[in-house]
Amino acid sequence: MQDKLRFIIILLLPILFLWAGSNFHRAKYANDPDYIYLVNAVAICDGKSVGHIDNPGTTIMQIEALTIAISHLISNPESESLVTQVLTDPDRFIEITRIVVLILNSLILGLLGWVAIRKTGSIWVALLLQAAVFITPNTLNHLWTKVSPEPILFLVTCLFVVTILSFNAEREKTKLKYVLYFALLSGAGLGTKATFLPLVIFPILVLPGLKRKLFYLGGTIISFVLFTIPAIPEYKNMYYWFRNLISHSGIYGQGDRGIIDTRIYLPNILAIITNNIVFSFTVGVSLILLIRQRFRRISKNATKKRDWNYQILLGLVASELFAILIVAKHYHANHYLIPVLLLTGITAFFTFKIILKEKRSNFLNKATYPALAIVLIVLLGWKQPAKMEYANYGYRITNEEIDSVNIVLNENYSDFQRIYYYPNSLNKYSALNFGDVYAKRKMLPYLKELYPHTYFYNFDNNQFTYWNAEITLEEIINFNSDSILLIGGPLDTNLLKPLEKRNIPLRKIHSGRIQAVYMLDTARYNTPLQNEKHQLLEIITCGAEVISSDNEFFLGSNGTKFKNAFAQSGEFSRTGDFSIQLNRNTEYAAEYIIDDLKAGDEYEIQVWRKGQNCSASLVVAALNTQLFYKAESDYLSSEGDWNLLRIKFKITPEMENEKLKVYLWNSNKEICWFDDLEIKRNSIK
């Protein structure tokens, strides 16, 4: 009967966690982070490797891929392909994954409570460990609303705490099973997000014997590889990403070279402490206890007999302090601390376990853990609901505005061509585009097939794109109509003036909290031809038909030379009899040097490419790539199986007296063909 009552009690917080999380709203079409992991998960389902390796985040991608595959098998009323079904209704699959992960974490929270009872004999310790997961609203926000690494970090960290409890209760702490458990969890944690790294040092400090520590490190490496299998082709890029993250002082590996920026590092440490009072207090008390114990050993010349309570507490505090030190480098949100924040409960448990052992008071032994659990639950129950309700309200009204604006657009502007403000807007197309960028454009062919005539405008670089291919507003108008809507932004109406200076005059239709819709004001729009006169100065073409006598060059118009004639192929051609083939053995071809650059001249370079799902690029680069570099792999239009790649640019004063190299680049080494390369130089007046 007592066990049954305990079981019911430890289910209370997991049930609350599941109920609150499942009833919590999340913003629709939140491109970062939800769509990053969704599109990469779809890539896995499509048999591709992932493109996003920054976290690395592969564990959530794999869970989402499995969820998508099962959902597709269970419910597919239109008999669509998996990719089509997901990309047609992406937010539905994000919501399904969110609920699946929420259920998993609720079960893990229940398991944590049950193991805590079995290993400590105290229902109050179990409640203390469970309540500690509610420690910050930022943590709950990520656990309940995001399909991202953070919910998986919660799962792995809870299992880590379960393993610590089991290890502590084990008489034979030399058993190799704990080496295996910690290695598996450390590899899974690191494969989820690098913020798990501080917990990796815990087993190094706690596992007995050098051999077990080495086995643990080797096992962690193997485990990491297993949990990052979809990212194996990206290991080289992953290395450079984390190298830059460490060696540069700015966020995400940007900024000046250096480990830290001393101007913000200490203030960030202070911010971490003040933003996490319960966590900081627990770590502070534990640290004092460890320092006191160390001085006692020195003063009494004590033997080195291992005290496991102190040893485990040392591992916990070392992990927590290490986390503070590395997160302070780029601290701007609490979710970077989630793994160590979840150690607060078990750190408090071992801290007071040591204190109570020294005091030897029956009253304190009986009253301490109930008092700690009750105080923590009351404190969190007093502080967190209001904060979470405020966040929930924000998500709810965000979704209401998205839905209401979409209704108006579909009812009143269904015949208008839409351009989506990118990336800072909430809509399906911007979200999918954003996710595909972080999947290295692996889903781009599917997106262009499903959503043709989908355009975006990026305010920061003043660039219109047809998915990823650059295009001009004039071309959008010519291809479609002059009834144009800009959807999603700018929310700041002060940005309308610079847009007008860029010849994008807009008339407001709706401007709300998170949505804005504008109509292109055609009465005030001047076509570029009205403002500029284009004079064709030169045109160079290469159809891969003629090869130099030494068989080294393709010969274009006027005898111009393009390198790597050995890439000539008669298998396919758009015009004539030949094309240029790139494959796993030929990565570059058709190199041509442009010199005699004049400021103000405009170049338009285009080539036709054939190849299923091929991402080979047309590239234009200065010899000093920091001065100029453009690569285009997305096509602007199609003729049968041939897709047109194009790059347009103007020569700036800084580019004069430089040389530009034009070439074809097949970075993924999939077989493809190019034909009808054309280089135009125009004078603009």
Side-chain angles (χ1 to χ4, degrees):
M1 184 66 182
Q2 189 178 18
D3 280 348
K4 186 176 181 180
L5 178 61
R6 286 180 171 185
F7 183 73
I8 292 172
I9 291 173
I10 64 165
L11 286 180
L12 294 178
L13 287 177
I15 290 172
L16 174 63
F17 182 87
L18 178 60
W19 173 81
S22 59
N23 285 282
F24 213 81
H25 290 82
R26 51 169 287 273
K28 293 180 179 180
Y29 312 123
N31 53 20
D32 187 6
D34 293 356
Y35 276 74
I36 293 174
Y37 302 101
L38 174 77
V39 178
N40 278 280
V42 178
I44 292 174
C45 292
D46 198 40
K48 297 179 172 66
S49 61
V50 301
H52 180 66
I53 43 80
D54 299 3
N55 306 111
T58 49
T59 51
I60 181 60
M61 297 173 198
Q62 290 167 307
I63 290 172
E64 189 161 19
L66 180 61
T67 302
I68 288 170
I70 294 173
S71 300
H72 175 71
L73 287 174
I74 294 173
S75 177
N76 185 18
E78 303 297 326
S79 298
E80 298 171 303
S81 70
L82 181 148
V83 172
T84 299
Q85 188 185 25
V86 177
L87 297 183
T88 301
D89 192 7
D91 230 53
R92 170 174 167 263
F93 286 90
I94 289 177
E95 181 62 17
I96 292 171
T97 305
R98 183 182 79 91
I99 296 300
V100 167
V101 175
L102 182 62
I103 292 171
L104 286 175
N105 280 333
S106 300
L107 293 173
I108 290 297
L109 190 56
L111 175 67
L112 174 61
W114 182 245
V115 171
I117 290 176
R118 306 295 292 181
K119 300 302 180 181
T120 68
S122 171
I123 185 68
W124 296 107
V125 172
L127 290 174
L128 174 66
L129 297 180
Q130 288 181 324
V133 307
F134 296 85
I135 194 168
T136 71
N138 180 275
T139 298
L140 293 176
N141 196 329
H142 276 77
L143 297 180
W144 290 347
T145 70
K146 306 291 188 293
V147 176
S148 67
E150 279 68 31
I152 309 305
L153 286 178
F154 175 90
L155 187 152
V156 176
T157 305
C158 284
L159 290 175
F160 205 86
V161 172
V162 165
T163 306
I164 293 172
L165 290 170
S166 300
F167 178 79
N168 179 62
E170 179 67 63
R171 289 185 178 181
E172 297 180 31
K173 292 183 170 57
T174 57
K175 289 184 177 179
L176 285 176
K177 68 177 183 179
Y178 292 105
V179 175
L180 175 63
Y181 295 160
F182 282 123
L184 281 172
L185 292 172
S186 294
L190 289 175
T192 302
K193 197 163 187 176
T195 52
F196 191 85
L197 179 62
L199 274 68
V200 175
I201 69 174
F202 174 88
I204 298 174
L205 294 174
V206 174
L207 287 172
L210 178 61
K211 183 187 294 185
R212 290 172 187 80
K213 298 179 194 297
L214 294 175
F215 280 162
Y216 160 72
L217 290 173
T220 297
I221 293 171
I222 296 171
S223 174
F224 175 81
V225 172
L226 290 174
F227 283 105
T228 58
I229 286 174
I232 287 176
E234 296 290 334
Y235 271 5
K236 181 179 179 181
N237 293 328
M238 191 185 298
Y239 163 76
Y240 286 121
W241 163 259
F242 286 108
R243 185 194 68 176
N244 290 337
L245 204 64
I246 294 168
S247 62
H248 289 74
S249 59
I251 190 169
Y252 303 139
Q254 304 299 313
D256 299 329
R257 286 193 171 275
I259 304 299
I260 60 172
D261 184 344
T262 55
R263 296 168 299 177
I264 64 171
Y265 190 68
L266 291 179
N268 281 349
I269 291 177
L270 182 61
I272 290 172
I273 293 171
T274 56
N275 290 340
N276 301 281
I277 297 298
V278 175
F279 166 75
S280 302
F281 177 79
T282 304
V283 174
V285 172
S286 304
L287 183 60
I288 292 170
L289 194 64
L290 289 169
I291 293 173
R292 189 197 65 170
Q293 172 68 6
R294 180 61 180 167
F295 277 113
R296 279 184 174 181
R297 282 182 171 273
I298 293 173
S299 62
K300 294 181 179 181
N301 196 22
T303 61
K304 291 187 177 181
K305 183 179 179 181
R306 190 187 296 264
D307 185 323
W308 285 107
N309 290 327
Y310 275 104
Q311 196 69 29
I312 291 173
L313 185 61
L314 173 64
L316 291 169
V317 173
S319 297
E320 290 159 337
L321 292 177
F322 183 39
I324 292 172
L325 292 176
I326 63 173
V327 170
K329 179 175 180 175
H330 297 146
Y331 179 69
H332 59 272
N334 256 359
H335 65 277
Y336 295 111
L337 289 164
I338 281 179
V340 291
L341 290 177
L342 295 173
L343 298 181
T344 303
I346 195 167
T347 303
F349 166 66
F350 278 101
T351 298
F352 283 95
K353 186 179 180 183
I354 292 170
I355 294 172
L356 293 174
K357 185 178 179 181
E358 293 179 355
K359 296 298 182 184
R360 298 181 181 179
S361 167
N362 289 332
F363 172 75
L364 289 177
N365 284 334
K366 292 179 179 180
T368 298
Y369 290 118
L372 284 173
I374 291 171
V375 168
L376 183 59
I377 291 171
V378 170
L379 178 65
L380 297 177
W382 171 54
K383 291 182 62 177
Q384 305 302 47
K387 294 179 179 179
M388 297 311 297
E389 179 56 36
Y390 179 78
N392 191 40
Y393 172 74
Y395 288 125
R396 180 170 60 81
I397 62 174
T398 292
N399 292 336
E400 288 173 354
E401 186 179 350
I402 291 172
D403 291 340
S404 63
V405 169
N406 283 338
I407 290 172
V408 171
L409 291 174
N410 292 332
E411 288 182 351
N412 301 332
Y413 301 94
S414 60
D415 57 340
F416 276 64
Q417 176 60 53
R418 302 179 184 186
I419 300 174
Y420 296 95
Y421 199 73
Y422 179 84
N424 302 314
S425 62
L426 296 177
N427 59 77
K428 178 169 73 173
Y429 308 97
S430 291
L432 286 170
N433 195 19
F434 188 88
D436 194 44
V437 168
Y438 282 91
K440 292 197 170 177
R441 293 299 183 187
K442 289 180 168 56
M443 292 294 106
L444 186 59
Y446 297 107
L447 290 169
K448 298 193 81 164
E449 182 179 351
L450 279 172
Y451 304 112
H453 309 295
T454 301
Y455 305 101
F456 302 91
Y457 176 68
N458 189 318
F459 178 88
D460 292 337
N461 60 17
N462 188 29
Q463 187 177 93
F464 289 91
T465 58
Y466 165 44
W467 286 103
N468 192 48
E470 285 188 41
I471 194 170
T472 65
L473 179 56
E474 183 72 12
E475 288 170 325
I476 295 174
I477 294 171
N478 291 338
F479 292 163
N480 301 278
S481 70
D482 59 359
S483 297
I484 304 286
L485 294 182
L486 180 61
I487 297 174
L491 293 175
D492 184 356
T493 55
N494 292 327
L495 297 179
L496 294 178
K497 289 183 178 179
L499 282 174
E500 188 151 339
K501 290 181 179 179
R502 297 174 181 180
N503 193 27
I504 312 174
L506 300 173
R507 181 159 54 87
K508 184 173 70 175
I509 293 176
H510 167 83
S511 182
R513 175 174 165 270
I514 52 90
Q515 288 284 71
V517 180
Y518 298 92
M519 182 187 298
L520 179 68
D521 192 340
T522 54
R524 293 187 293 126
Y525 175 69
N526 296 314
T527 67
L529 290 176
Q530 291 175 301
N531 299 322
E532 299 175 342
K533 291 183 179 180
H534 290 244
Q535 179 184 356
L536 179 62
L537 299 178
E538 184 181 23
I539 181 168
I540 298 171
T541 61
C542 178
E545 299 296 314
V546 182
I547 294 178
S548 63
S549 58
D550 58 8
N551 295 321
E552 290 188 11
F553 298 95
F554 292 106
L555 297 180
S557 57
N558 301 322
T560 50
K561 293 182 178 181
F562 297 80
K563 282 187 178 180
N564 292 2
F566 62 82
Q568 186 186 54
S569 169
E571 189 172 354
F572 296 102
S573 65
R574 177 176 172 268
T575 60
D577 298 320
F578 298 100
S579 64
I580 301 170
Q581 184 190 89
L582 297 184
N583 51 44
R584 63 185 305 108
N585 299 316
T586 306
E587 187 173 352
Y588 301 96
E591 179 184 313
Y592 176 78
I593 301 297
I594 303 175
D595 53 15
D596 192 26
L597 302 177
K598 295 182 179 179
D601 282 358
E602 181 183 78
Y603 281 83
E604 181 177 339
I605 303 173
Q606 65 181 41
V607 68
W608 292 85
R609 182 191 67 200
K610 175 184 174 65
Q612 188 175 9
N613 297 330
C614 182
S615 60
S617 304
L618 169 66
V619 182
V620 183
L623 300 183
N624 174 11
T625 55
Q626 293 183 346
L627 180 64
F628 183 84
Y629 180 90
K630 271 194 174 185
E632 183 61 79
S633 60
D634 191 13
Y635 60 89
L636 190 64
S637 62
S638 299
E639 287 183 5
D641 294 334
W642 290 88
N643 300 319
L644 178 65
L645 310 185
R646 186 192 68 183
I647 293 177
K648 293 179 71 173
F649 59 94
K650 288 183 180 180
I651 303 301
T652 64
E654 294 78 17
M655 295 166 65
E656 285 193 317
N657 302 319
E658 290 286 334
K659 293 182 179 180
L660 295 180
K661 183 190 297 185
V662 178
Y663 59 95
L664 307 175
W665 177 36
N666 188 20
S667 58
N668 62 10
K669 299 185 179 180
E670 294 178 359
I671 190 168
C672 61
W673 295 263
F674 287 90
D675 203 357
D676 297 330
L677 175 62
E678 183 178 272
I679 302 172
K680 289 182 181 178
R681 179 166 68 96
N682 295 300
S683 174
I684 302 174
K685 298 180 180 179

